[in-house]
Amino acid sequence: MNNSPKIIISGGGTGGHIFPAVAIANALKRIVPACEILFVGAIGRMEMEKVPAAGYKIVGLNISGIQRGSIVKNLALPFKVLGSVRKAMQLINDFKPDAVVGVGGYASGPLLYAASLKGIPYLIQEQNSYAGVTNKWLGKKASKICVAFDNMDAFFPADRILKTGNPVRGEVVDIRGKHFSGAELLKLDPQKKTILVTGGSLGAGTLNKAIEKHLPEILSKDVQVIWQTGKFYYKGIIERLGLDYHPNVRILEFLNKMDLAYAAADVIISRAGAGTIAELCMIRKPVILVPSPNVAEDHQTKNALALVKNNAAVLINDRSAEDTLVTEALKLLNDKAHSELLADNIGKMALPMADEIIAKEVLKLIK
């Protein structure tokens, strides 16, 4: 292997794809400081802002997914795909990568396909327990597929699968000794039981409705809530409830210090994105998962079931969450034995060091 390998990392669209991609890039830089890394994303998507903020160069492809319920918008899709493959081929000609990594998201497909046409080895990092159509197809020619769940040979050639886990942001899962500082930052009482509700950066309508509807029930038990509403819902909730609704309730659009929120919580309510699950396994607290129904192939339910079958989380489906979620969370808060069992079992599923393991696999592909 040369001393300054060139690597393209492609994909994005959501934090669940972007954070692992940046974690892999950081690990590559730690192992081989002289390596050159170029990111390829989709124009107008989150990665075009987040990747430069992490200190890496990114180039955008004009690519999008299938628009549900709009035939007109989909008419341009074949042209976008062809244009993106052409641009990906040009990028490969110009940058001359030694290896390519695909983390999922719109840009990953054209770039990995172009790499396969050019005979450049590529690695797929599949975060979910259910592989999407593009990754299944691209997996046939992948040199290595790094996965986070068991039984992925249903989607990929078994001899090329390596179970590494999903890379997580180290600063987010380092919660040791931070319970009191977390409570202090959030202006909460460290002695009171606390529920953390997080629906991701954009938010989750079902989780927000459930909390808002059952706030009186939560407050009647003198329980605290760290309520991360997400960008889409924050303004409406604040207009209805006010910013200082109650001393026991902290309403936030986004959590900049996720480690302190995790540290302050006794029970966590969350969607079941693969990246979030990887973090939850590392922080070892009792978790209630409410999978989003608005994702491809219902993969969040499959992610959650992988934990449930190991008695490592409680699953509540989206349809019933508005009525049952808060009751279940309060029940879990008061059931010490069940909480400890869930925390212990979710901890056993943690796969630390995923970023470094994947980075080393990428470097192995380079002749």
Side-chain angles (χ1 to χ4, degrees):
M1 189 187 83
N2 62 34
N3 292 327
S4 51
K6 293 182 162 191
I7 296 152
I8 293 180
I9 300 177
S10 62
T14 65
H17 293 311
I18 298 162
F19 296 135
V22 170
I24 294 165
N26 291 343
L28 284 164
K29 280 287 192 185
R30 283 197 301 274
I31 299 164
V32 186
C35 76
E36 277 188 67
I37 296 170
L38 174 68
F39 277 77
V40 175
I43 291 167
R45 302 291 289 184
M46 192 174 165
E47 59 267 25
M48 301 308 290
E49 180 190 324
K50 297 283 184 191
V51 168
Y56 294 100
K57 186 183 174 191
I58 187 165
V59 178
L61 302 179
N62 182 24
I63 184 76
S64 58
I66 292 168
Q67 306 286 317
R68 289 175 194 174
S70 173
I71 294 167
V72 176
K73 284 181 182 172
N74 290 325
L75 292 175
L77 192 59
F79 302 101
K80 282 186 174 181
V81 171
L82 286 170
S84 293
V85 171
R86 266 201 302 275
K87 185 166 181 184
M89 297 282 273
Q90 189 60 55
L91 285 169
I92 286 170
N93 286 339
D94 294 345
F95 187 70
K96 297 181 175 55
D98 298 292
V100 170
V101 180
V103 296
Y106 301 141
S108 206
L111 207 285
L112 294 189
Y113 179 60
S116 74
L117 294 177
K118 291 277 187 183
I120 292 160
Y122 65 85
L123 176 148
I124 290 173
Q125 198 261 319
E126 173 57 70
Q127 291 104 22
N128 290 297
S129 60
Y130 193 96
V133 177
T134 308
N135 269 2
K136 277 193 277 189
W137 177 60
L138 291 163
K140 291 171 186 165
K141 289 192 176 178
S143 303
K144 187 68 74 176
I145 302 118
C146 294
V147 302
F149 294 91
D150 293 325
N151 306 316
M152 296 304 285
D153 53 354
F155 311 105
F156 301 118
D159 60 333
R160 278 171 267 160
I161 293 172
L162 180 66
K163 189 181 177 188
T164 58
N166 281 318
V168 297
R169 296 165 289 169
E171 70 279 8
V172 166
V173 296
D174 178 16
I175 67 165
R176 282 167 305 175
K178 292 183 181 176
H179 177 79
F180 286 93
S181 52
E184 187 183 1
L185 178 82
L186 293 157
K187 300 184 175 65
L188 295 170
D189 182 342
Q191 309 298 340
K192 287 184 181 180
K193 293 274 176 67
T194 303
I195 298 169
L196 166 63
V197 185
T198 172
S201 55
L202 298 179
T206 301
L207 303 191
N208 290 333
K209 280 182 198 160
I211 297 302
E212 189 169 347
K213 184 175 177 179
H214 295 275
L215 277 173
E217 191 183 338
I218 295 167
L219 296 174
S220 73
K221 307 283 191 232
D222 200 22
V223 166
Q224 298 177 137
V225 186
I226 305 164
W227 181 7
Q228 186 256 320
T229 63
K231 185 173 156 184
F232 285 165
Y233 304 94
Y234 179 73
K235 194 164 175 261
I237 289 167
I238 290 300
E239 281 170 0
R240 288 192 297 278
L241 301 179
L243 197 52
D244 299 312
Y245 171 74
H246 190 279
N248 278 12
V249 181
R250 201 61 61 243
I251 305 170
L252 302 147
E253 179 182 338
F254 188 73
L255 286 161
N256 291 315
K257 293 278 188 186
M258 199 70 206
D259 56 329
L260 295 177
Y262 280 149
D266 296 291
V267 163
I268 297 162
I269 294 169
S270 173
R271 286 302 200 192
T276 302
I277 285 180
E279 290 178 3
L280 295 171
C281 290
M282 298 279 280
I283 64 161
R284 300 169 183 244
K285 292 207 171 180
V287 171
I288 298 175
L289 296 171
V290 185
S292 169
N294 310 312
V295 293
E297 314 285 358
D298 195 25
H299 68 251
Q300 285 204 4
T301 296
K302 296 172 179 84
N303 292 347
L305 287 170
L307 270 68
V308 171
K309 74 175 185 190
N310 288 301
N311 206 0
V314 173
L315 187 157
I316 291 179
N317 70 47
D318 193 82
R319 283 191 312 280
S320 60
E322 197 176 324
D323 295 323
T324 63
L325 178 58
V326 167
T327 305
E328 285 298 317
L330 293 171
K331 195 163 91 180
L332 187 57
L333 265 185
N334 292 313
D335 189 337
K336 193 164 181 258
H338 192 201
S339 288
E340 284 175 358
L341 179 71
L342 290 173
D344 190 43
N345 286 342
I346 202 170
K348 286 175 187 167
M349 296 185 74
L351 292 163
M353 309 301 292
D355 53 351
E356 294 214 357
I357 297 165
I358 295 165
K360 284 172 183 168
E361 289 299 320
V362 174
L363 295 169
K364 277 186 204 170
L365 301 184
I366 299 169
K367 302 288 183 285

